[in-house]
Amino acid sequence: MAEMDLNDLRAAVAADIITEKQATAMRVMIEKRIGYRDFMKREDEPFEFFSGFAEIFVTVGLSILFTGILGLLMVSGQFGFVAFSGAGLAFALAFYFTLKRRMNLPSMWLATVFAVSTGLFFGYLLFDPIRFDETDFLIVSLIGFGAMLVWYRVFHLPFTMFLVGIYGIAVTFSLAALIEPSAFAYGRAWYENPFDLNGSSVFSYATLAFGLVAFVVGMWFDTQDPYRIGRKSAAGFWLHLIAAPALVNTIALSLYNMGGTTGYLLTALALTLISLMALIVDRRSFLTAGILYMAALLVAAFGDTSNEGWAYVLTLLVLGVFITVLGTWWGAIRAGIMRALPGFPLKHRLPPYDTIMDTE
């Protein structure tokens, strides 16, 4: 009998042959026998966008089909009916492509079509084309948020959490607009810098709050699947992907815009702590979101050179080496940090880091 590997467990979970809890229990048992690092294929943050070209081909076909059907409906001039039809058709097709065929890329595309169509349909029903109303925007955002939660409940597609997060941002900004209506007044350019806390705009605090909530929910998903073989950790990945820009941009930009040595030092300290946190929770998205600020700090540090071009060249070299080294030896660096840290709540629920699993 051929040896079972991680992909076999994932396939069994995806096919509903075993549950995520059973798969985790099986993996723990196997890893206690042969050691975790020997068993896994060094992919401590697995991610699957599509499993083959067939999924790309089907997605292209669905895109053309939707374009044709919706184009045909638009000829009638009934925009609301077009949006409603798009949402209904996407929902119906998901029962086949998501639940039965379990095709990842077509499922992601159908979820996106449903999310957009739902927003357009209710926006068409509620929005006044002459006057913008923050309450209407909040209602549409809440409906879309709830609709995507239903989609996740029915189809268990991890990517849905990203769309839930998008609607979550819309809900957050809608509430901020109700608190600070003047933000949408003519000439008010809040959107030019919505992440800077120094501007005392409610939108920057709303962005920070959203990032914290998305991060906490993402961590909840992660702690339910520390071995990252099921849907929960994949859902956590998408939540972290949307939480990282909200958190990192708000914190780093606010500190960086303080200017001077103090602002740069505080930004460097914040990025260091964010990098440490990314290693601890084993999510690279937070470091990715901070790359631009790392580059800005390096340019400022090298800015005293006689040739300005050298500042940019040195920045690219230093940042390139840093990211390459960290990406290459991420597992070893993380293991060293985790061993050095004292025990803290939920440490045992984070992805394993020891070379050999404890056999007790």
Side-chain angles (χ1 to χ4, degrees):
M1 178 178 177
E3 292 185 1
M4 180 181 296
D5 62 14
L6 180 58
N7 291 326
D8 294 321
L9 290 179
R10 288 178 180 160
V13 172
D16 286 334
I17 297 174
I18 58 177
T19 65
E20 294 173 3
K21 182 177 180 180
Q22 290 170 333
T24 300
M26 289 180 62
R27 182 170 180 174
V28 170
M29 180 194 69
I30 295 171
E31 288 161 1
K32 282 184 177 180
R33 293 177 57 245
I34 63 178
Y36 177 77
R37 291 298 173 185
D38 292 333
F39 180 72
M40 74 177 284
K41 296 182 178 180
R42 304 290 179 182
E43 52 170 345
D44 51 323
E45 193 174 359
F47 168 68
E48 183 181 12
F49 201 77
F50 57 89
S51 59
F53 193 80
E55 293 195 4
I56 300 177
F57 194 70
V58 169
T59 303
V60 172
L62 287 172
S63 303
I64 296 173
L65 174 63
F66 264 87
T67 302
I69 293 175
L70 298 181
L72 180 64
L73 294 174
M74 287 186 70
V75 174
S76 65
Q78 299 295 323
F79 182 80
F81 183 67
V82 170
F84 179 80
S85 299
L89 183 59
F91 192 84
L93 289 175
F95 279 95
Y96 177 74
F97 289 103
T98 304
L99 291 182
K100 185 175 182 179
R101 293 292 303 274
R102 300 191 178 279
M103 302 182 79
N104 198 42
L105 186 59
S107 298
M108 294 167 66
W109 191 86
L110 289 172
T112 303
V113 170
F114 179 80
V116 174
S117 298
T118 300
L120 290 176
F121 174 68
F122 287 100
Y124 175 79
L125 292 180
L126 295 176
F127 281 171
D128 186 335
I130 299 177
R131 183 181 64 87
F132 178 85
D133 189 287
E134 294 87 352
T135 304
D136 291 343
F137 190 73
L138 175 61
I139 293 173
V140 173
S141 301
L142 287 172
I143 292 174
F145 184 83
M148 296 320 299
L149 287 178
V150 171
W151 186 282
Y152 181 78
R153 182 68 180 84
V154 173
F155 300 110
H156 304 289
L157 179 69
F159 173 72
T160 311
M161 283 295 112
F162 181 80
L163 300 173
V164 170
I166 294 295
Y167 271 114
I169 292 177
V171 170
T172 304
F173 274 28
S174 300
L175 292 172
L178 288 172
I179 297 172
E180 188 181 346
S182 60
F184 285 101
Y186 178 76
R188 179 70 181 273
W190 66 269
Y191 49 82
E192 292 181 359
N193 202 354
F195 300 121
D196 192 350
L197 295 171
N198 299 309
S200 299
S201 171
V202 68
F203 285 93
S204 57
Y205 290 97
T207 304
L208 180 62
F210 166 79
L212 289 172
V213 172
F215 173 71
V216 169
V217 178
M219 287 304 303
W220 181 85
F221 276 109
D222 280 350
T223 56
Q224 303 304 305
D225 182 19
Y227 291 89
R228 295 184 176 172
I229 61 174
R231 298 188 186 99
K232 288 185 173 63
S233 63
F237 166 85
W238 288 108
L239 282 170
H240 287 304
L241 193 65
I242 200 169
L247 283 176
V248 177
N249 284 331
T250 304
I251 296 171
L253 183 63
S254 299
L255 295 174
Y256 186 82
N257 282 348
M258 292 174 60
T261 302
T262 302
Y264 295 155
L265 288 177
L266 288 175
T267 306
L269 176 61
L271 290 174
T272 300
L273 293 176
I274 289 171
S275 301
L276 181 62
M277 183 270 293
L279 284 160
I280 292 173
V281 303
D282 202 10
R283 288 298 186 187
R284 295 166 177 80
S285 51
F286 289 92
L287 275 177
T288 304
I291 288 177
L292 288 178
Y293 298 102
M294 295 179 188
L297 288 175
L298 289 172
V299 169
F302 296 136
D304 293 333
T305 58
S306 57
N307 188 338
E308 184 179 352
W310 277 102
Y312 296 102
V313 172
L314 291 173
T315 296
L316 291 174
L317 291 174
V318 172
L319 191 59
V321 169
F322 171 74
I323 297 299
T324 301
V325 169
L326 191 60
T328 304
W329 289 284
W330 178 278
I333 296 172
R334 179 175 182 269
I337 292 174
M338 295 296 287
R339 293 191 192 101
L341 289 174
F344 56 87
L346 298 180
K347 183 178 181 180
H348 66 288
R349 299 299 300 172
L350 294 174
Y353 54 89
D354 288 328
T355 301
I356 300 177
M357 294 288 292
D358 186 7
T359 56
E360 295 183 356

